[in-house]
Amino acid sequence: MTGPLLDWLDSRTGYRALVRRALDEELPGGTGWPFTTGSVVTLLVGCQFITGVGLTMYYVPAPSLAYDSVRFIMRDLPLGWILRGLHYWGASFLVVATVVHLLRVFLLGSYKAPREVTWLSGLAMLLVILGFSLSGYLLPWDQKAYWATTVTINIARSTPLLGSYVADVLRGGPELGALTLGRWYSAHVFLLPATLVTLIVAHIALMRKHGISGPIEPAAAPGEAFFPWHVMRDTVMMAAVFASLFTVAALVPAHLDAIANPSDANYIPRPEWYFLSLFQLLKYFPGPLEPVATMVVPGVVIGFLILLPFVDRADGRHPFRAPRRVFTTMVVAIGLGVLALTGLGVADSPPDDGDDWGLLPIAGWQIATDEASPCTRCHAPGAPAAPLAQTRITRDEEWLLSHMADPVALAPGVRSEQEPAPRPMMSRFKAQAVVSYLRREHAGRAHPVIDEAGKTAALTYAETCVACHKLGGEGGTMGPDLTHVGTRRKAAGIKAVIEDAPEMYGETAMPRFKDRLTPAQIDALANYLAARK
Amino acid sequence: MKPNCKCASEPRRGFLIRVIQTVHAGIGATLAFVVGGAVIAPSFSRREKLWLPAGTMPQLAEGVPTAVTLRIARSDGASETVDRRVVYLVKTGGALQALDSTCTHLGCRTRFNPDSKLIECPCHGGVYDTNGNVVSGPPPSPLARVPVRVEHDRILVEV
C-alpha cells in the first residue's frame, strides 16, 4: 500500500538514490570488527542528543532552580531517573568509546596520508566531547558541579598571558553564579552540539572520500558491500553497547550531591573520572610549577596527537614494527600515564560518606516531622507552605535558622537590635538540626532506620553535645570530634566521661551531665558513640 | 554492478537486513519510550483536590454572587506556583452554592454585573444568571458547580 506513495516520493525527491549512495560502498577485503568503533560513537552521540532534548524540557539553567529541577527529574518525573541516568552514564560511555575509536585508528595506522584531516577532525571531536562533559557536570549545580567548576576556571587562569581574561570569560563575571551557569548551559545545548554535528558530517564525508582504511595487510579476499554485511557488525556492537548503557543506567542511579554551598569547607571537590588524571597531576606540581600540569603536559599530549600523521609518513601501518614502533611506545606511555594517574586519583579519593545520617540530621528529622512540630503547621498540603519534603532550599543557612526562630517574619534576621525579638519558636541548636536534616532530605538521601534509643541519642546530642562536639562533620569545635570516638573508647568509658568529666579530667570545660541528663539519655548516647568506629 | 560478491546468498542478505532493522527499531523504541514517556507523563498528572476555606456564611448577601479568590499553592515542576481561582458563592434561601467563575465557552474570567444582576463574560458576550445558567451568548453549558460545604458557618470549597 505504501509502495505507490514511496514511488511518488522518490520521483519528487530522489531519496532512493541517496540511500543507495549512502549504503552501497565497497569495503576493502578483511574489513572486520575493529571498524565498528565509529558506529558506536555515533550511536552514543545520538543517545546523548535525544536524552538531552528530553532533559532540557525540565531543566532550568538558573542557580536558584537548577538543582531543584534536576531533583525533580530524578524524584518526581515519571521515567526521569532513567532519562537522566542514560544521559549521565552515556557521557562516560561516550568518552570511553571515543578514546577506543582513537586507539583503533592509531593502532591500525588509519590516520596516515591521505587521511590526516579526518584524524584532525576526530581529535577536534574528542575535545568537543570533553567540553560537553565539563560543561555538563556544572549544570546540576550541586556541590560537585560548583567546586569542580571553580577549580576548572582557576586552572584556566593559569593560561600564560591571557589567564585572567580567559577565567573572566568562562565565569561571565567576577564570581561563579547565574551568569556562569547561563553561558555553560548555552555552550552545552547549542554551541557544542552544533560544532559536534558539523564535525561529524565532515568526519564521515572525509571517511567516504578516502574510503575505509581497511586491514593493515590487505586481505586476498574480495571486498564486500558495506550494507548489509558490515552494517550487521556495526549493529551487533551498537546493540551490545546500548544494552550495557541501559543496564548501568537502570541499576546505578545518576549521581546528585547536595546543593552547591559556597560556604561549605567540609566538601572535598572531585572531578569526574575522565578528568581525574589531570586533577591528580596537579598534586605533583605545586606552586610555580603548576602550569606544567595544567598547560604543558596536556598541551604536549594534544600537540603530539595533532602532529602524528605529519610525522609518521613512512610506509607501513603495523603498530609494532618499524617505523611505527616508536609512536606506539609513546601512545602506550601516555595511556599508562593517564591510567596510573586516574588510579592514584581514585586511591586518593576520600570515602563517600554523603549517605551518612549523623545524630544531628536524625534529631532534625524528629523535630521537624514530630506531631508537635511547629513546622508542619504551615508546611502541609493546602497550607501556606509546601510540605518539607518538597520544599526547595533557596535561602542560605542564616536565613533558615532565623526563619525557624521566627517563622512569621517575612525577612528574618533584619530586626534592629533595639527591637526586642519574640521568644524563638525553636532554639538555635534545634534549628541547626533541622537545617542539617533538610539538606539530606533535599539531597534525596534515604531515611535511616532509627530505634527509640537512637532517637533519644539524637535529640540529646542536638540539644546538648552539638555545642562543643563535631559528629560527622557538623557541630562545635570546643571539644574533641566524636565521629570516630568508638575507636578510642568503649561505651562504659564514654558514659563515665558524660556523667562526670571534671572527675575524670580535673580541669576541663566539659560540665558534669550526671544531673542534667537522664540515665536513659546517657546510655543511649554512650552506646551510639561507642559504635562510631 | 554492486560491489557485492556475496550476491549468491540473497536469502541471507534479506535475513541480515531484517535483523538490522529490528535491532535499530528496538534501540529507537527504547529511547522513544524513555524520552517520550518523561516528556508526556506530567501532562496527565492531576493535583489532589483540597478543601479550602472561603469565608463565612454571615458575610454573604442573599441572592448576590460574591466572588472569592482562593490561593492554591501547588508544586509546579521544580518550582511552586500559587494558582488563583475565583469562585462565586451564592446564597439563596438557606442553600449555598459555589460556581466556578471561568466561562464555559473559552475560559475567560466572568464578572458579576450588579446593575443587570447577571454574570457576564467580557470576551464573547456570554451571559449567565446568578445560578450559573446560560442566559445568552455562546457558552455551551452553565458555569461549573464547585463542591461546597458549611461547617459552623465556615464555608469550605473543594478545588
Side-chain angles (χ1 to χ4, degrees), chain A residues 26 58 69 72 77 229 232 235 392, chain B residues 3 16 19 24 38-39 42 77-78:
Chain A
E26 182 175 4
Y58 301 101
S69 60
F72 168 79
L77 179 67
W229 313 106
M232 187 62 211
T235 303
R392 301 175 296 123
Chain B
L16 282 189
V19 171
H24 285 272
V39 167

Side-chain angles (χ1 to χ4, degrees), chain A residues 140-199:
Chain A
W141 205 251
D142 58 358
Q143 286 280 64
K144 179 173 216 142
Y146 186 90
W147 293 107
T149 307
T150 302
V151 173
T152 305
I153 290 176
N154 284 326
I155 287 174
R157 194 205 299 280
S158 70
T159 313
L161 301 174
L162 297 171
S164 63
Y165 300 107
V166 173
D168 284 344
V169 170
L170 285 176
R171 222 173 11 224
E175 305 294 338
L176 197 64
L179 296 172
T180 323
L181 186 52
R183 63 187 47 212
W184 286 50
Y185 175 70
S186 175
H188 191 82
V189 302
F190 295 115
L191 199 58
L192 291 172
T195 314
L196 189 63
V197 168
T198 312
L199 286 168

Side-chain angles (χ1 to χ4, degrees), chain A residues 55-77 84 139-141 181 256 259 392 442, chain B residues 76-79:
Chain A
L55 288 171
T56 55
M57 293 203 187
Y58 301 101
Y59 174 74
V60 185
S64 55
L65 270 172
Y67 181 82
D68 287 294
S69 60
V70 176
R71 187 168 161 261
F72 168 79
I73 292 168
M74 297 290 289
R75 281 184 26 157
D76 303 322
L77 179 67
R84 177 159 182 260
L139 303 184
W141 205 251
L181 186 52
L256 184 63
I259 192 168
R392 301 175 296 123
H442 200 230
Chain B
D76 181 15
S79 63

Side-chain angles (χ1 to χ4, degrees), chain A residues 359-382:
Chain A
L359 285 181
L360 198 61
I362 291 173
W365 183 31
Q366 305 302 321
I367 296 166
T369 54
D370 188 62
E371 273 175 32
S373 157
C375 308
T376 47
R377 215 181 296 163
C378 296
H379 289 277

